[in-house]
Amino acid sequence: MIDTTVDVINKLGLHARASGKLIEVTTKFRSSIQIGKGDKLVDAKNIMSLLMLGAGKGTTLRLVIDGADAEKAEEEIKSLFAAKFYEAD
């Protein structure tokens, strides 16, 4: 099991478009993927749950991944956040 953090660094935060891109990544994996603030974790494969987080720029999110492909999932998710969800600044 992986329990780590990711920082929201894109200008608009985890809004609808960014959440959609995150869903594209998370749904490729069989692992259970949860994301949230502290102990309030939500299913990272559910867009409504992601939008309800209200994670704006500067938010540090906890990422918990459990399953056979957890390491690959962590790598792709962190890459997406680092790339600012491929949005223009």
Side-chain angles (χ1 to χ4, degrees):
M1 181 166 93
I2 295 170
D3 192 338
T4 187
T5 61
V6 289
D7 294 320
V8 180
I9 59 173
N10 61 310
K11 185 167 62 173
L12 298 174
L14 201 55
H15 59 93
R17 192 172 155 292
S19 294
K21 288 198 171 293
L22 181 56
I23 296 286
E24 287 176 22
V25 171
T26 59
T27 55
K28 294 191 307 187
F29 298 100
R30 299 191 73 201
S31 292
S32 163
I33 304 173
Q34 294 185 303
I35 196 165
K37 300 173 186 173
D39 290 334
K40 182 185 182 261
L41 296 175
V42 299
D43 182 1
K45 297 179 183 182
N46 181 309
I47 194 151
M48 290 307 293
S49 295
L50 293 175
L51 293 172
M52 296 298 288
L53 282 175
K57 182 177 181 176
T59 303
T60 297
L61 294 173
R62 183 174 168 213
L63 181 63
V64 178
I65 310 169
D66 191 20
D69 52 5
E71 286 160 11
K72 184 70 177 153
E74 176 192 20
E75 178 185 316
E76 287 197 32
I77 292 166
K78 285 191 168 187
S79 292
L80 181 65
F81 274 81
K84 299 181 182 180
F85 299 92
Y86 305 102
E87 296 173 353
D89 283 331

